[in-house]
Short mmCIF file of all heavy atoms in Angstrom, two decimals:
data_model
loop_
_atom_site.label_atom_id
_atom_site.label_comp_id
_atom_site.label_asym_id
_atom_site.label_seq_id
_atom_site.Cartn_x
_atom_site.Cartn_y
_atom_site.Cartn_z
N ASP A 104 0.83 -5.97 2.52
CA ASP A 104 0.32 -5.46 1.27
C ASP A 104 -0.72 -6.40 0.67
O ASP A 104 -0.62 -7.60 1.00
CB ASP A 104 1.57 -5.24 0.33
CG ASP A 104 1.14 -4.87 -1.03
OD1 ASP A 104 0.47 -3.80 -1.16
OD2 ASP A 104 1.60 -5.53 -1.94
N PRO A 117 -0.54 -18.60 -4.64
CA PRO A 117 -0.36 -19.86 -4.13
C PRO A 117 0.14 -19.75 -2.58
O PRO A 117 0.99 -19.12 -2.30
CB PRO A 117 0.80 -20.45 -4.85
CG PRO A 117 0.62 -19.84 -6.21
CD PRO A 117 0.34 -18.43 -5.99
N GLU A 128 -3.08 -16.60 13.65
CA GLU A 128 -3.07 -17.44 14.80
C GLU A 128 -1.90 -16.87 15.65
O GLU A 128 -1.86 -17.30 16.81
CB GLU A 128 -2.91 -18.90 14.42
CG GLU A 128 -4.06 -19.55 13.74
CD GLU A 128 -3.82 -20.98 13.27
OE1 GLU A 128 -2.66 -21.37 13.41
OE2 GLU A 128 -4.66 -21.58 12.85
N VAL A 136 -2.38 -2.94 4.40
CA VAL A 136 -2.24 -1.59 3.82
C VAL A 136 -2.07 -1.65 2.38
O VAL A 136 -1.20 -2.36 1.87
CB VAL A 136 -0.99 -1.00 4.54
CG1 VAL A 136 -1.33 -0.71 6.06
CG2 VAL A 136 0.23 -1.90 4.53
N LYS A 144 -13.16 0.64 -1.06
CA LYS A 144 -12.89 -0.26 -0.05
C LYS A 144 -13.73 -1.39 0.09
O LYS A 144 -13.37 -2.53 0.20
CB LYS A 144 -12.74 0.43 1.31
CG LYS A 144 -12.35 -0.38 2.49
CD LYS A 144 -12.15 0.44 3.68
CE LYS A 144 -11.74 -0.42 4.85
NZ LYS A 144 -11.60 0.44 6.14
N ASN A 159 -12.06 -8.35 7.49
CA ASN A 159 -13.00 -7.41 7.97
C ASN A 159 -12.67 -5.94 7.51
O ASN A 159 -11.49 -5.65 7.36
CB ASN A 159 -13.13 -7.47 9.45
CG ASN A 159 -13.58 -8.74 9.98
OD1 ASN A 159 -14.41 -9.39 9.42
ND2 ASN A 159 -12.98 -9.30 11.04
N ALA A 169 -7.33 7.38 3.16
CA ALA A 169 -6.51 8.49 3.54
C ALA A 169 -6.72 9.65 2.69
O ALA A 169 -6.70 10.74 3.26
CB ALA A 169 -5.01 8.00 3.49
N LEU A 190 -15.30 5.54 -6.86
CA LEU A 190 -15.95 6.73 -6.49
C LEU A 190 -16.92 6.59 -5.33
O LEU A 190 -17.06 7.61 -4.59
CB LEU A 190 -16.91 7.22 -7.70
CG LEU A 190 -16.05 7.64 -8.98
CD1 LEU A 190 -17.08 8.08 -10.07
CD2 LEU A 190 -15.03 8.82 -8.66
N ASP A 192 -16.10 5.66 -2.49
CA ASP A 192 -15.33 6.10 -1.33
C ASP A 192 -15.34 7.58 -1.16
O ASP A 192 -14.91 8.13 -0.13
CB ASP A 192 -13.82 5.61 -1.35
CG ASP A 192 -13.77 4.12 -0.93
OD1 ASP A 192 -14.70 3.60 -0.51
OD2 ASP A 192 -12.68 3.62 -1.06
N LEU A 198 -18.26 18.08 -5.54
CA LEU A 198 -17.33 18.18 -6.63
C LEU A 198 -17.52 19.29 -7.56
O LEU A 198 -16.84 19.34 -8.64
CB LEU A 198 -17.63 16.70 -7.53
CG LEU A 198 -17.56 15.47 -6.77
CD1 LEU A 198 -17.83 14.26 -7.73
CD2 LEU A 198 -16.17 15.23 -6.10
N ASN A 202 -11.31 22.75 -6.95
CA ASN A 202 -10.15 23.42 -6.47
C ASN A 202 -9.01 22.55 -6.22
O ASN A 202 -8.01 22.91 -5.64
CB ASN A 202 -10.48 24.28 -5.33
CG ASN A 202 -10.86 23.60 -4.01
OD1 ASN A 202 -11.00 22.23 -4.08
ND2 ASN A 202 -11.14 24.27 -2.93
N ARG A 223 -5.39 22.05 -17.07
CA ARG A 223 -5.75 23.42 -17.04
C ARG A 223 -6.18 23.82 -15.67
O ARG A 223 -6.14 24.95 -15.20
CB ARG A 223 -6.96 23.54 -17.99
CG ARG A 223 -6.58 23.47 -19.42
CD ARG A 223 -7.78 23.54 -20.46
NE ARG A 223 -7.34 23.49 -21.85
CZ ARG A 223 -8.10 23.40 -22.84
NH1 ARG A 223 -9.44 23.35 -22.69
NH2 ARG A 223 -7.62 23.50 -24.09
N ALA A 237 2.55 4.99 -7.53
CA ALA A 237 3.12 3.71 -7.92
C ALA A 237 3.56 3.72 -9.40
O ALA A 237 2.87 4.15 -10.26
CB ALA A 237 2.04 2.56 -7.77
N GLY A 245 0.44 -9.47 -17.16
CA GLY A 245 1.84 -8.85 -17.04
C GLY A 245 1.84 -7.56 -16.32
O GLY A 245 0.92 -7.12 -15.73
N LEU A 246 2.97 -6.89 -16.32
CA LEU A 246 3.17 -5.70 -15.60
C LEU A 246 2.35 -4.61 -16.27
O LEU A 246 2.19 -4.57 -17.56
CB LEU A 246 4.61 -5.17 -15.48
CG LEU A 246 5.51 -6.07 -14.69
CD1 LEU A 246 6.93 -5.57 -14.74
CD2 LEU A 246 5.04 -6.12 -13.17
N SER A 261 2.47 21.15 -15.43
CA SER A 261 1.94 22.31 -14.55
C SER A 261 2.91 22.97 -13.83
O SER A 261 2.73 24.05 -13.33
CB SER A 261 0.76 21.81 -13.72
OG SER A 261 1.22 20.96 -12.68
N ASP A 266 0.85 16.37 -3.81
CA ASP A 266 0.85 15.90 -2.39
C ASP A 266 0.43 14.37 -2.45
O ASP A 266 -0.70 14.04 -2.83
CB ASP A 266 -0.24 16.69 -1.64
CG ASP A 266 -0.21 16.40 -0.11
OD1 ASP A 266 0.56 15.51 0.35
OD2 ASP A 266 -0.87 17.17 0.64
N SER A 286 4.55 0.98 17.74
CA SER A 286 5.63 1.73 17.13
C SER A 286 6.19 0.99 15.92
O SER A 286 5.97 -0.21 15.68
CB SER A 286 6.77 1.98 18.21
OG SER A 286 7.44 0.73 18.35
N ILE A 293 5.27 -6.66 5.23
CA ILE A 293 5.52 -7.71 4.19
C ILE A 293 4.86 -7.13 2.86
O ILE A 293 3.70 -6.81 2.85
CB ILE A 293 4.79 -8.94 4.54
CG1 ILE A 293 5.23 -9.52 5.90
CG2 ILE A 293 5.02 -10.12 3.48
CD1 ILE A 293 4.49 -10.81 6.43
N TYR A 319 7.46 -7.85 -7.98
CA TYR A 319 8.92 -8.12 -7.81
C TYR A 319 9.69 -8.50 -9.04
O TYR A 319 9.17 -9.27 -9.85
CB TYR A 319 9.09 -9.24 -6.80
CG TYR A 319 10.60 -9.72 -6.63
CD1 TYR A 319 11.42 -9.04 -5.76
CD2 TYR A 319 11.01 -10.74 -7.34
CE1 TYR A 319 12.74 -9.42 -5.62
CE2 TYR A 319 12.34 -11.14 -7.28
CZ TYR A 319 13.25 -10.51 -6.39
OH TYR A 319 14.51 -10.93 -6.19
N ASN A 321 13.59 -9.72 -10.48
CA ASN A 321 14.84 -10.29 -10.08
C ASN A 321 15.93 -9.27 -9.88
O ASN A 321 16.23 -8.48 -10.64
CB ASN A 321 15.30 -11.33 -11.11
CG ASN A 321 16.46 -12.15 -10.70
OD1 ASN A 321 16.53 -12.42 -9.56
ND2 ASN A 321 17.50 -12.45 -11.65
N HIS A 334 14.62 -9.34 4.89
CA HIS A 334 14.46 -10.75 4.61
C HIS A 334 13.69 -10.96 3.32
O HIS A 334 12.80 -10.23 3.00
CB HIS A 334 13.58 -11.49 5.72
CG HIS A 334 13.56 -12.95 5.47
ND1 HIS A 334 14.61 -13.80 5.74
CD2 HIS A 334 12.48 -13.70 5.02
CE1 HIS A 334 14.19 -15.05 5.47
NE2 HIS A 334 12.98 -15.03 4.99
N THR A 338 7.50 -16.40 -1.41
CA THR A 338 6.11 -16.15 -1.37
C THR A 338 5.61 -15.54 0.03
O THR A 338 6.42 -15.53 0.93
CB THR A 338 5.23 -17.49 -1.67
OG1 THR A 338 5.52 -18.34 -0.51
CG2 THR A 338 5.59 -18.10 -2.98
N ALA A 341 5.72 -18.26 2.47
CA ALA A 341 7.25 -18.43 3.02
C ALA A 341 7.59 -17.37 4.00
O ALA A 341 8.24 -17.61 5.05
CB ALA A 341 8.08 -18.45 1.86
N GLU A 344 6.08 -18.51 7.30
CA GLU A 344 6.85 -19.51 7.86
C GLU A 344 8.14 -18.89 8.56
O GLU A 344 8.60 -19.42 9.60
CB GLU A 344 7.32 -20.48 6.68
CG GLU A 344 6.11 -21.41 6.27
CD GLU A 344 6.55 -22.24 5.03
OE1 GLU A 344 7.78 -22.26 4.73
OE2 GLU A 344 5.64 -22.85 4.46
N GLU A 347 7.12 -17.47 11.82
CA GLU A 347 6.77 -18.51 12.78
C GLU A 347 8.04 -19.18 13.35
O GLU A 347 8.08 -19.44 14.54
CB GLU A 347 5.95 -19.71 12.09
CG GLU A 347 4.54 -19.24 11.74
CD GLU A 347 3.73 -20.34 10.91
OE1 GLU A 347 4.45 -21.03 10.04
OE2 GLU A 347 2.59 -20.39 11.08
N PHE A 352 9.06 -16.23 22.47
CA PHE A 352 8.71 -15.53 23.73
C PHE A 352 9.95 -15.41 24.63
O PHE A 352 10.62 -16.48 24.92
CB PHE A 352 7.63 -16.21 24.49
CG PHE A 352 6.21 -15.98 23.84
CD1 PHE A 352 5.61 -16.87 22.95
CD2 PHE A 352 5.53 -14.75 24.17
CE1 PHE A 352 4.38 -16.61 22.55
CE2 PHE A 352 4.29 -14.50 23.62
CZ PHE A 352 3.70 -15.40 22.85
#
Side-chain angles (χ1 to χ4, degrees):
D104 173 56
E128 294 174 355
V136 290
K144 182 175 179 178
N159 299 318
L190 296 178
D192 280 354
L198 307 180
N202 60 0
R223 289 175 175 175
L246 295 177
S261 68
D266 188 353
S286 70
I293 305 175
Y319 172 84
N321 189 36
H334 181 78
T338 63
E344 290 175 6
E347 289 173 327
F352 280 102

